[in-house]
Amino acid sequence: MAECERMMTEADTSSRSTTQLQGHLARVSDMLNRHRLVEQLVHRDGGAHQEVVDNLAHRQNLAELQREIDKLHPADVAHILDALPPEDRLSVWHLVKADRDGEILLEVSDAVRESLLADMDAPEILAAAEQLDADELADLAEDLPDDVVHELMQRLDAPEREQLRSAMSYEDDQVGAIMDFEMITIREDVTLEVVLRYLRFLKEIPEQTDKLFVVNSDHVLTGVVPLKWLLVNDPARMVSDVMAADANTFRPDEDVAETAQAFERYDLISAPVVDIEGRLIGRLTIEAMVDVIREESDAETLSRGGLREDEDIFASVWKSLRNRWTWLAINLVTAFIASRVIGLFEGSIEKLVALAALMPIVAGIGGNSGNQTITMIVRALALGQVSPSSATRLLRKEVGVAVMNGLIWGGVIGLVAWLLYGSAALGAVMTAAMTLNLLLSALMGVLIPMTLIRYGRDPAMGSSVLITALTDSGGFFIFLGLATLFLI
């Protein structure tokens, strides 16, 4: 019951958050529309005092819009910018205060960030970047002009410059690219009272700090002290007496997706990042891991449809065309192949018109079953639950499921075909075709992602397109072929 109540509370919170975001977006859009309407009316009416009235109305509308934007969290402003067409997006962006630019640039999508940076000159970009920490700058640096990055490097102090260089030296999918350099380290040869005084001296601790990292004189990580342990232990005790070894340490060259899974598996809030010699060089936080999980989910969803993850929803026709044409071209070829398969059996369809009405059912059910299988396999691959040694067993299991589904649902549709067209033979062919096509979809649902990952490709890339193409062509061929052999 408690778990059920917790889930209901989380769902209500999520619903309220989404509703609030939609409300903010609606208000901003309404203000932009009223602003344009007032401008149109003022210019249409004309008059000697048009310029004065125009400037007054312009300032009033923009001031109201700016007040709405100022009270929003940077993530909410980013959501609004992502959801607005380019013209309105820039209108809102120009109203954002300079000291918030950097935070918002980190929150918007890659494509929108590119458009916003293109509208800024070098001094504006530098002013925005100077508000960020070294790890945040690393996220932004790859999108900045080279001359801006060089100037930014010169303005940083030596430790920050080294941190930025370190973060930029790693690939986007490596832990080092997203690690945080703000953390609290302590020595093991001091008392907990000394640690508490040190924390009070700081007045503020980094966000998502749930533990302190214990290091020696060489900055090698020797243990951790969770903050709650400071409250329940005698302040006179030594750090060395209460600290524990942290089993969840990560290397900067590890894969971020696998690290995110570890955070989810062990319910981590933060974790240390150490180099090959065990020296503490940074930390990971749950905030960064949530971003990784979301981005991985978004990328997988788009990849299944053959889309890149960097398309602006309001991008120009040409940009969207370039993003989508590859898999549409592949789909066109596969659709042509399917049509030629049907063309091979034109004579059979002319003699038995019922085939034309029934064959989409076989192809459609096969495609749906294939997408179910491929979705499950891609998810299992992402979670590291499938290995080459288990692939054969998984394939046997999916084949068994396909055969059972084919016999059950193929039998149902076969009975329907018998009743509709008065032909038991047609019903039997329908059942056999359904079973064989589901078997084909199960095989392809396992083999397509496993083959892609074997050759170092994203197992989700275009998987829906490929499975649908194969089950369509295969379903038509199987059904019409069986009908030609046994009914014509």
Side-chain angles (χ1 to χ4, degrees):
M1 179 65 71
E3 178 67 14
C4 181
E5 292 177 353
R6 183 186 66 80
M7 293 176 65
M8 291 177 64
T9 301
E10 289 178 353
D12 290 342
T13 302
S14 176
S15 176
R16 286 197 299 271
S17 178
T18 301
T19 302
Q20 289 172 351
L21 275 176
Q22 292 172 343
H24 295 322
L25 176 59
R27 284 194 294 275
V28 170
S29 298
D30 181 61
M31 291 178 187
L32 288 168
N33 289 332
R34 284 193 284 115
H35 177 59
R36 281 193 295 267
L37 180 60
V38 169
E39 283 187 331
Q40 293 171 0
L41 290 173
V42 169
H43 285 292
R44 187 182 63 186
D45 293 342
H49 302 290
Q50 175 181 338
E51 184 177 348
V52 175
V53 175
D54 190 6
N55 287 336
L56 180 61
H58 184 78
R59 287 197 299 269
Q60 288 176 339
N61 285 318
L62 292 186
E64 182 182 4
L65 182 56
Q66 183 156 31
R67 284 193 296 271
E68 178 70 20
I69 295 169
D70 288 345
K71 68 183 183 182
L72 297 179
H73 188 277
D76 293 339
V77 178
H79 173 81
I80 290 173
L81 292 172
D82 283 337
L84 289 176
E87 302 80 9
D88 290 345
R89 179 185 300 154
L90 291 179
S91 297
V92 171
W93 178 241
H94 293 155
L95 296 176
V96 173
K97 292 182 178 178
D99 60 354
R100 305 181 75 201
D101 284 353
E103 293 178 290
I104 295 172
L105 284 172
L106 289 173
E107 296 288 345
V108 295
S109 63
D110 292 345
V112 171
R113 182 188 304 140
E114 182 181 341
S115 68
L116 297 180
L117 287 172
D119 185 65
M120 302 170 69
D121 56 27
E124 288 177 320
I125 297 175
L126 283 169
E130 285 179 332
Q131 307 295 323
L132 305 176
D133 298 325
D135 57 302
E136 295 172 328
L137 283 175
D139 294 336
L140 193 62
E142 62 179 348
D143 297 321
L144 302 180
D146 291 340
D147 57 332
V148 172
V149 174
H150 178 74
E151 176 65 24
L152 192 59
M153 283 283 195
Q154 301 304 313
R155 296 190 182 190
L156 297 175
D157 57 36
E160 289 178 326
R161 192 180 305 123
E162 185 58 34
Q163 290 173 353
L164 179 56
R165 285 199 183 105
S166 174
M168 291 175 61
S169 67
Y170 296 100
E171 300 292 334
D172 291 341
D173 60 352
Q174 292 182 316
V175 165
I178 62 169
M179 64 182 176
D180 184 2
F181 298 105
E182 286 193 345
M183 54 193 166
I184 299 178
T185 60
I186 57 176
R187 299 285 293 273
E188 61 184 47
D189 56 354
V190 297
T191 64
L192 297 184
E193 174 61 30
V194 172
V195 174
L196 288 169
R197 286 204 306 269
Y198 173 60
L199 293 179
R200 285 192 291 269
F201 173 77
L202 292 177
K203 297 182 181 178
E204 184 179 1
I205 62 176
E207 295 181 358
Q208 288 93 48
T209 295
D210 66 320
K211 60 179 69 107
L212 309 179
F213 302 119
V214 184
V215 297
N216 61 19
S217 57
D218 294 323
H219 214 66
V220 172
L221 181 71
T222 59
V224 296
V225 177
L227 286 180
K228 60 185 179 182
W229 290 7
L230 293 176
L231 303 177
V232 299
N233 279 283
D234 185 350
R237 296 189 67 183
M238 301 293 292
V239 169
S240 58
D241 295 333
V242 299
M243 72 179 189
D246 195 332
N248 298 298
T249 59
F250 300 94
R251 294 276 301 280
D253 55 354
E254 291 185 35
D255 183 78
V256 293
E258 296 178 1
T259 302
Q261 292 170 22
F263 262 70
E264 182 181 14
R265 186 161 55 248
Y266 301 118
D267 295 326
L268 301 177
I269 296 176
S270 69
V273 181
V274 298
D275 62 16
I276 193 171
E277 296 176 350
R279 285 191 295 265
L280 181 68
I281 59 174
R283 68 167 184 151
L284 295 173
T285 65
I286 185 61
E287 180 182 20
M289 293 300 102
V290 168
D291 289 340
V292 169
I293 293 172
R294 177 182 57 80
E295 290 170 2
E296 287 285 321
S297 176
D298 291 346
E300 180 181 318
T301 301
L302 293 172
S303 292
R304 282 203 296 268
L307 292 173
R308 296 195 308 270
E309 57 183 299
D310 58 351
E311 180 181 331
D312 181 357
I313 191 173
F314 293 106
S316 67
V317 172
W318 175 242
K319 284 186 177 180
S320 296
L321 180 64
R322 286 187 299 171
N323 190 17
R324 305 179 193 185
W325 78 268
T326 303
W327 284 98
L328 287 177
I330 293 173
N331 203 12
L332 178 62
V333 172
T334 57
F336 179 77
I337 293 173
S339 72
R340 296 315 304 150
V341 169
I342 296 173
L344 294 174
F345 300 96
E346 287 180 354
S348 300
I349 296 173
E350 289 177 356
K351 293 177 182 178
L352 189 58
V353 179
L355 299 179
L358 294 174
M359 65 182 184
I361 298 175
V362 177
I365 296 297
N368 185 49
S369 177
N371 274 307
Q372 288 178 342
T373 300
I374 213 164
T375 298
M376 186 193 69
I377 299 299
V378 169
R379 178 181 178 275
L381 286 169
L383 295 176
Q385 297 173 343
V386 179
S387 62
S389 60
S390 63
T392 303
R393 182 175 180 179
L394 185 62
L395 183 60
R396 287 199 300 266
K397 175 250 185 178
E398 289 301 316
V399 166
V401 172
V403 170
M404 293 299 296
N405 273 329
L407 292 174
I408 294 171
W409 298 110
V412 170
I413 195 61
L415 180 61
V416 172
W418 181 8
L419 294 174
L420 284 176
Y421 299 102
S423 172
L426 178 60
V429 165
M430 193 71 181
T431 300
M434 183 79 77
T435 303
L436 290 174
N437 198 31
L438 287 179
L439 183 58
L440 174 66
S441 69
L443 290 170
M444 293 300 102
V446 176
L447 293 177
I448 287 174
M450 295 301 292
T451 302
L452 287 172
I453 203 167
R454 180 177 180 180
Y455 289 98
R457 306 300 297 273
D458 182 357
M461 178 56 72
S463 55
S464 294
V465 176
L466 292 174
I467 195 71
T468 301
L470 290 169
T471 52
D472 280 356
S473 299
F476 293 147
F477 184 82
I478 291 169
F479 178 57
L480 295 176
L482 290 175
T484 301
L485 287 174
F486 297 105
L487 301 178
I488 305 302

